[in-house]
Amino acid sequence: MTKLASCDEHVLSQESDEQLQVLRDENSLLFDQLELLQRDLVALLGDCDEASSSPSFGARGASDEKGDVLDRLLEAVAENIRCQSVVAAQEHLFFLRSRQAMENQLGKVLIDATTSIGALVSAPFLLWRAWRQSRNSSVPKVLGGKSFKKAVEAYELGGLAAVEALMSRVPLSFSTQANAWTAVARSQLEVDVKTVASLARRAYELEPLPFRQKWLAFRLYEAGEVLEAEALMTLLPKDMVLSESEDQQLLSLLNGAKQYRFEQARDVCESAWQ
């Protein structure tokens, strides 16, 4: 079982590295394209200045060409913004998956055990706890069963600290902890979209699986974090199934992200030419 898990981690690492390299290469090409477009624009601006003082020059043609280059420049800058966001999300996703691997958890405990006598003495307990966290999928009564009622109540009474204190009473798998935070997030859907997004992020970072990634993306979109939402949706598996309502929400998300990226691109270009 350990060898199989190690093999899966190796494949995951290789796939993530390849995806990151593709994105970085694409980003590098975009930077080169931006430089060329900026040079073209500088040349065209000079041509337009000459056209204003030369009646024989086709001023309208130069103006049209300038507008075309400006449009291409905006598209390139907007695409560069998208690529940077996707690369950041991919790197973070790979980090989360690597951190949660059982081999990494056990390795960290054993390495820490060599640093002091106290760490060596506590190592068996930490190893046992890591094993329990990876195996235990049942929801203890302390959290209120499958509905996580007590976790929700704890949040309403004492916020994040109260839920964390409640969950620290017993060893919990990362999946169970993520489910608890999701239940708390759902209880706040009609209260504060930013709080819901923050809670959804906790669940995702504990268990970075596609369905949690999708749920976080939609919650981020509702909270106005459209770039990260777009990046997370971009990184979902190609065979990810969406409901009809989710398809509609995704369309709105992508349109909103595109508009935001072009607004950012305009700001970048205007600042560069001031």
Side-chain angles (χ1 to χ4, degrees), residues 243-257:
S243 67
E244 186 175 343
S245 62
E246 286 174 335
D247 274 329
Q248 292 297 320
Q249 192 173 15
L250 175 59
L251 182 61
S252 178
L253 185 159
L254 295 177
N255 287 335

Side-chain angles (χ1 to χ4, degrees), residues 39-226:
R39 291 174 188 173
D40 289 345
L41 189 57
V42 169
L44 282 170
L45 286 172
D47 290 342
C48 287
D49 288 339
E50 291 178 9
S52 64
S53 59
S54 175
S56 63
F57 187 84
R60 182 173 181 180
S63 179
D64 289 344
E65 190 175 355
K66 174 188 172 186
D68 180 58
V69 173
L70 276 171
D71 289 342
R72 287 161 53 203
L73 181 61
L74 284 175
E75 289 177 4
V77 172
E79 181 63 11
N80 179 257
I81 292 171
R82 187 192 73 83
C83 283
Q84 289 186 48
S85 182
V86 173
V87 168
Q90 177 68 74
E91 289 178 335
H92 187 54
L93 177 58
F94 177 59
F95 164 75
L96 292 175
R97 289 176 175 174
S98 300
R99 185 185 65 181
Q100 298 308 98
M102 172 59 80
E103 288 84 356
N104 286 357
Q105 292 182 60
L106 299 182
K108 184 177 185 304
V109 171
L110 294 174
I111 291 172
D112 290 344
T114 65
T115 61
S116 67
I117 296 297
L120 181 62
V121 171
S122 63
F125 170 75
L126 294 176
L127 288 170
W128 170 81
R129 188 180 183 90
W131 178 81
R132 282 289 302 275
Q133 285 181 325
S134 70
R135 301 283 293 179
N136 185 19
S137 59
S138 61
V139 183
K141 293 182 179 179
V142 69
L143 295 182
K146 291 184 178 180
S147 68
F148 294 95
K149 180 180 178 181
K150 291 185 178 179
V152 172
E153 291 174 349
Y155 181 81
E156 291 174 349
L157 291 173
L160 297 175
V163 180
E164 290 170 347
L166 187 67
M167 292 198 293
S168 68
R169 294 182 186 179
V170 291
L172 299 170
S173 68
F174 291 117
S175 179
T176 300
Q177 293 179 57
N179 286 337
W181 286 117
T182 299
V184 174
R186 290 185 182 280
S187 74
Q188 302 299 305
L189 282 171
E190 304 299 325
V191 180
D192 181 10
V193 292
K194 291 188 178 295
T195 295
V196 173
S198 177
L199 294 168
R201 187 185 299 281
R202 281 178 171 255
Y204 167 69
E205 295 193 342
L206 281 164
E207 191 180 36
L209 296 178
F211 77 94
R212 296 199 190 281
Q213 184 177 328
K214 177 185 71 173
W215 203 70
L216 172 60
F218 284 135
R219 304 294 79 79
L220 287 171
Y221 168 61
E222 292 167 354
E225 302 292 335
V226 292

Side-chain angles (χ1 to χ4, degrees), residues 19-31:
Q19 290 173 345
L20 280 173
Q21 191 56 50
V22 169
L23 288 168
R24 286 173 179 145
D25 290 345
E26 185 179 347
N27 217 15
S28 179
L29 289 173
L30 278 170
F31 273 120

